């Protein structure tokens, strides 16, 4: 299993993680080893097998549409790193 | 004289009910022991002395008024620091949640509070429950009470170490690929991973949502049944919680296992398995046979593919679940000039190396071009693994395997080799993929004096049979009474 440096960079970008060159190298090495181990699955004939996304088969879990009191805004904002006027504040998005 | 902290919940509950001791005394005994011993074990991330004592006082006062209370009332418990606890810092052993105080209790914590349980504090884990040794905690390494140079297992290593060292009466762990059972095995405790959907996941920090399940780590099987009575059941706030009646689990104690069909999956007795573990598990099987269980071999042919499938599915789900840690609404926020920089810097500073590795692995296997080759293939493998178990359970009531191929390994032995660390979970991972209940319980010690555990795997929602078999076996030995020297 050989990964391209590109593959790591793309995954890092999608994950919003910044990696130093040293980290990239070490992660590439370890992921190659792990993904190499996964090639084991090639041995299986899975052509006519359905995929399982969940251990219990459930579909359309509904609940009655009742109004209820949600958590208090103040309690939630208590944990905000930055807030203003009852909202989360972040750096300017539109220039 | 037996110390108060050594008693099981079953033993101490009667003393509390008869008022021969108070919850305040019991809570103080644990807090004293934590102050004395935890610098060696390092199980706790947070100790809540004040709130624990005030909870204990409140229970004592209810009791003195003659109120009828739960058998868990006034019992000091320490949940893994992955359970949201209102007003108590919850970090998931990650820097990204340092200082995070949840605005609400998860369902399991709420249920325990309804039973008047005392929350002693929060215990250590591998960051975001990703690990098998508790060495990946961003805060501290927890030590195995039986040998402080060794790991307690993981990811619920703080839970298992705290229970083994009598630093709490019981703990709650979470199990995505073995994180309750493997540390319970390495520390000599009883650990139960219930059927997926049996215990609510609401208010427990998510790792891999199709695999995560909450369960107790206790000193003995009776305590496991008592805790299951409190935490099991349907919860509308967890859409994968299953609405089935919950039995009184204590009714499965003191039952005969005569005629019970026990299957031994040969694939679990693998090469590289420690010989002492093998012998010890075989002896446990003989004991079940002696009590009238009908033992026979069974094959689960796809067992060897479980780790590969798991390490695609779990990181894929984790990469999505952990997207919420972006520095906007809670947790760590790095200084930055733009929103995209804020996301990237907060995540880069906040997550540790193993968590980053798994996020990258998960993102990679889900990304365009690789999705079918990895993710879909892993999900299909999950189907064939499940069907192995469905077939086996047509002939058997319970399956018996080792919990871990080895006893506790040395601190530092596997941290630089993630794949070796992943292989430590070979016996527990298949069960999560199949969604079944499974329990680890002690069955001996190796020549180094380290605990050995064996695993019972049951049919869906048949935790009762596991408790029945485990309790029948537990009557034949004294492992729960043996204590590590600290």
């Amino acid at each position: 299993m050989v990964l391209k440096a590109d593959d790591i960079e793309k995954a890092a970008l999608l994950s919003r993680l910044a990696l130093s060159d040293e980290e990239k190298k070490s992660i590439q090495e370890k992921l190659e080893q792990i993904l190499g181990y996964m090639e084991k699955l090639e041995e299986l004939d899975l052509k006519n097998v359905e995929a399982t996304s969940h251990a219990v088969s459930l579909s359309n879990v509904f609940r009655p549409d009742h109004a209820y009191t949600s958590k208090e805004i103040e309690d939630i904002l208590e944990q905000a790193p930055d807030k203003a006027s009852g909202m989360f504040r972040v750096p300017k998005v539109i220039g | 004289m037996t110390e108060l902290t050594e008693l099981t919940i079953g033993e101490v509950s009667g003393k509390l009910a008869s008022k021969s001791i108070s919850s305040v005394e019991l809570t103080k005994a644990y807090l004293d022991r934590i102050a004395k011993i935890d610098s060696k074990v390092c199980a706790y991330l947070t100790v809540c002395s004040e709130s624990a004592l005030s909870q204990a006082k409140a229970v004592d006062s209810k009791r003195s008024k003659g109120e009828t209370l739960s058998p868990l009332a006034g019992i000091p418990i320490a949940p893994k620091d992955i359970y949201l606890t209102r007003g108590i810092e919850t970090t998931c052993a990650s820097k990204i949640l340092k200082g995070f105080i949840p605005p609400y209790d998860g369902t399991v914590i709420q249920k325990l509070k309804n039973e008047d349980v005392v929350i002693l504090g929060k215990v250590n884990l591998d960051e975001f429950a990703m690990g098998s040794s508790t060495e990946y905690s961003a805060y501290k390494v927890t030590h195995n009470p039986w040998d402080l140079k060794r790991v307690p297992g993981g990811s619920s290593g703080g839970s298992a170490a705290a229970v083994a060292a009598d630093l709490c009466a019981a703990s709650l762990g979470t199990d995505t690929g073995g994180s309750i059972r493997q540390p319970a095995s390495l520390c000599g405790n009883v650990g139960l991973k219930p059927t997926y959907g049996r215990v609510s996941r609401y208010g427990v920090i998510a790792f891999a949502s199709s695999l995560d399940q909450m369960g107790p780590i206790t000193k003995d099987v009776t305590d496991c049944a008592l805790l299951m009575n409190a935490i099991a059941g349907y919860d509308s706030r967890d859409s994968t919680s299953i609405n089935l009646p919950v039995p009184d689990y204590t009714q499965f104690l003191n039952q005969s296992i005569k005629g019970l069909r026990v299957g031994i999956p040969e694939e679990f007795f693998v090469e590289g398995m420690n010989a002492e573990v093998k012998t010890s598990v075989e002896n446990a099987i003989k004991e079940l046979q002696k009590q009238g269980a009908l033992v026979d071999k069974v094959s689960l042919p796809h067992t060897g593919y479980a780790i590969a499938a798991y390490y695609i599915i779990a990181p894929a789900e984790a990469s999505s679940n952990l997207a919420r840690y972006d520095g906007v609404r809670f947790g760590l926020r790095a200084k930055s000039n733009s929103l995209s920089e804020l996301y990237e810097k907060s995540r880069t500073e906040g997550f540790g190396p193993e968590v980053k590795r798994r996020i990258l692995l998960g993102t990679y296997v889900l990304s365009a071009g690789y999705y079918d080759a990895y993710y879909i293939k892993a999900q299909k493998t999950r189907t064939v693994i499940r069907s192995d178990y469905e077939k086996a359970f047509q002939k058997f009531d319970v399956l018996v395997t080792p919990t871990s191929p080895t006893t506790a390994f040395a601190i530092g032995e596997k941290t630089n080799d993630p794949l070796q660390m992943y292989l430590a979970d070979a016996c527990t991972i298949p069960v999560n993929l199949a969604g079944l209940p499974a329990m680890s319980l002690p069955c001996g010690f190796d020549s180094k004096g380290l605990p050995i555990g064996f695993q019972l795997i049951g049919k869906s929602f048949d935790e009762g049979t596991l408790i029945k078999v485990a309790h029948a076996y537990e009557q034949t030995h004294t492992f729960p009474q043996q204590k590590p020297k600290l």
Side-chain angles (χ1 to χ4, degrees):
Chain A
M1 177 72 207
V2 180
L3 280 175
K4 296 189 288 283
D6 260 18
D7 290 326
I8 301 293
E9 271 161 31
K10 194 179 143 202
L13 175 71
L14 289 170
S15 311
R16 299 291 181 271
L17 290 170
L19 302 175
S20 67
D21 287 343
E22 203 180 311
E23 280 175 311
K24 271 183 214 164
K25 213 179 134 228
S26 133
I27 282 182
Q28 183 169 345
E29 224 170 78
K30 287 184 169 131
L31 290 197
E32 277 178 1
Q33 198 194 355
I34 296 164
L35 289 165
Y37 177 78
M38 285 160 185
E39 280 168 13
K40 213 178 157 62
L41 298 183
E42 302 292 335
E43 296 164 15
L44 294 170
D45 177 11
L46 299 167
K47 239 179 288 159
N48 299 314
V49 176
E50 292 253 349
T52 297
S53 56
H54 242 265
V56 279
S57 9
L58 284 169
S59 59
N60 297 341
V61 179
F62 295 122
R63 64 176 169 197
D65 185 18
H66 292 319
Y68 62 95
T69 317
S70 183
K71 301 186 181 16
E72 297 299 329
I73 291 177
E74 291 74 34
D75 285 352
I76 301 291
L77 282 176
E78 187 83 14
Q79 295 305 309
D82 195 5
K83 61 192 162 186
S85 325
M87 287 177 272
F88 299 108
R89 184 157 64 187
V90 293
K92 205 166 164 185
V93 180
I94 303 164
Chain B
M1 196 194 115
T2 314
E3 299 284 333
L4 277 183
T5 51
E6 290 182 18
L7 300 173
T8 63
I9 298 175
E11 289 165 342
V12 84
S13 187
K15 293 187 192 288
L16 286 168
S18 67
K19 295 181 198 153
S20 67
I21 59 158
S22 70
S23 176
V24 168
E25 277 173 75
L26 183 63
T27 305
K28 274 189 180 157
Y30 278 110
L31 290 171
D32 287 348
R33 187 160 170 88
I34 293 167
K36 227 168 77 189
I37 304 284
D38 197 43
S39 55
K40 293 185 200 168
V41 180
C42 304
Y44 278 83
L45 289 174
T46 307
V47 180
C48 314
S49 315
E50 231 169 87
S51 63
L53 283 170
S54 84
Q55 276 177 306
K57 220 169 149 186
V59 183
D60 287 340
S61 124
K62 273 191 191 179
R63 206 179 305 269
S64 70
K65 286 184 196 131
E67 286 184 39
T68 316
L69 299 176
S70 146
L72 295 177
I75 305 284
I77 282 176
K80 184 178 182 177
D81 202 23
I82 195 169
Y83 286 83
L84 299 189
T85 41
R86 187 181 181 124
I88 303 173
E89 186 180 8
T90 301
T91 66
C92 221
S94 180
K95 285 264 147 68
I96 212 158
L97 283 176
K98 190 171 171 44
F100 173 63
I101 314 254
Y104 65 98
D105 284 320
T107 299
V108 166
I109 298 296
Q110 190 54 59
K111 284 185 167 207
L112 290 175
K113 285 188 176 172
N114 294 346
E115 309 273 326
D116 294 308
V117 159
V118 171
I119 307 286
L120 261 185
K122 305 290 288 291
V123 288
N124 201 16
L125 62 150
D126 287 293
E127 184 177 358
F128 284 103
M130 297 177 188
S132 311
S133 69
T134 316
E135 292 166 287
Y136 292 140
S137 164
Y139 298 99
K140 52 169 78 162
V141 172
T142 297
H143 301 254
N144 192 314
W146 294 93
D147 178 351
L148 296 171
K149 292 191 192 72
R150 290 175 186 272
V151 302
S155 66
S156 311
S159 297
V163 171
D166 294 323
L167 297 169
C168 59
S171 182
L172 287 144
T174 58
D175 192 314
T176 307
S179 284
I180 287 175
R181 291 159 287 155
Q182 184 256 18
S185 173
L186 270 43
C187 290
N189 314 317
V190 173
L192 173 67
K193 179 203 96 74
T195 313
Y196 184 84
R198 176 95 283 184
V199 178
S200 171
R201 296 183 294 113
Y202 179 77
V204 183
I205 295 171
F207 161 14
S209 305
S210 82
L211 302 163
D212 295 346
Q213 188 54 199
M214 292 67 235
I217 295 184
T218 54
K219 294 179 190 184
D220 72 359
V221 179
T222 304
D223 289 5
C224 176
L226 289 170
L227 273 172
M228 277 301 285
N229 277 355
I231 66 171
Y234 176 68
D235 178 13
S236 61
R237 290 174 300 182
D238 171 1
S239 61
T240 59
S241 159
I242 306 293
N243 201 351
L244 280 176
V246 180
D248 173 358
Y249 289 104
T250 58
Q251 74 185 3
F252 298 98
L253 305 171
N254 301 309
Q255 298 288 321
S256 159
I257 57 164
K258 205 163 173 216
L260 195 95
R261 300 165 304 167
V262 175
I264 314 298
E266 44 199 9
E267 289 83 1
F268 281 74
F269 293 80
V270 287
E271 231 178 287
M273 195 179 146
N274 176 307
E276 288 178 290
V277 171
K278 189 164 179 250
T279 309
S280 195
V281 175
E282 282 167 353
N283 288 339
I285 295 166
K286 278 183 204 144
E287 178 54 42
L288 298 178
Q289 214 162 6
K290 217 166 90 187
Q291 293 192 30
L294 309 170
V295 177
D296 205 352
K297 277 187 188 158
V298 62
S299 172
L300 300 166
H302 297 97
T303 301
Y305 299 97
I307 294 177
Y310 175 87
Y311 277 99
I312 294 170
I313 293 169
E317 292 186 19
S319 71
S320 163
N321 269 329
L322 271 60
R324 76 191 66 183
Y325 305 100
D326 57 7
V328 172
R329 291 153 302 158
F330 50 81
L332 181 112
R333 176 184 288 195
K335 275 207 169 79
S336 48
N337 299 313
S338 73
L339 189 60
S340 57
E341 192 187 327
L342 183 152
Y343 294 151
E344 190 178 271
K345 273 187 150 179
S346 304
R347 290 168 64 80
T348 301
E349 287 174 25
F351 291 134
E354 177 62 15
V355 173
K356 285 181 186 168
R357 221 159 21 230
R358 296 211 196 181
I359 291 174
L360 290 166
L361 177 59
T363 305
Y364 177 81
V365 298
L366 287 176
S367 63
Y370 302 108
Y371 183 77
D372 287 342
Y374 290 106
Y375 189 64
I376 295 295
K377 196 168 284 164
Q379 288 198 320
K380 288 183 170 185
T381 306
R382 191 170 179 181
T383 307
V384 295
I385 289 170
R386 272 185 70 186
S387 94
D388 281 356
Y389 282 91
E390 277 162 19
K391 280 180 208 147
F393 280 120
Q394 287 170 2
K395 284 198 203 146
F396 296 99
D397 302 306
V398 68
L399 306 178
V400 174
T401 76
T403 307
S404 167
T406 65
T407 50
F409 47 92
I411 289 172
E413 195 179 315
K414 297 185 186 194
T415 33
N416 286 321
D417 191 347
L419 189 56
Q420 278 310 308
M421 189 76 95
Y422 298 172
L423 296 175
D425 294 332
C427 301
T428 48
I429 276 176
V431 181
N432 295 76
L433 292 172
L436 300 169
M439 189 186 228
S440 179
L441 64 154
C443 63
F445 293 91
D446 71 4
S447 49
K448 297 189 196 86
L450 300 169
I452 299 171
F454 76 112
Q455 176 174 240
L456 300 169
I457 307 170
K459 295 176 187 172
S460 273
F461 298 100
D462 194 16
E463 288 82 2
T465 297
L466 301 184
I467 289 171
K468 179 162 89 177
V469 180
H471 192 256
Y473 175 74
E474 196 181 62
Q475 304 316 303
T476 65
H477 62 76
T478 58
F479 303 131
Q481 286 87 50
Q482 298 183 39
K483 297 287 174 189
K485 289 180 192 74
L486 280 161

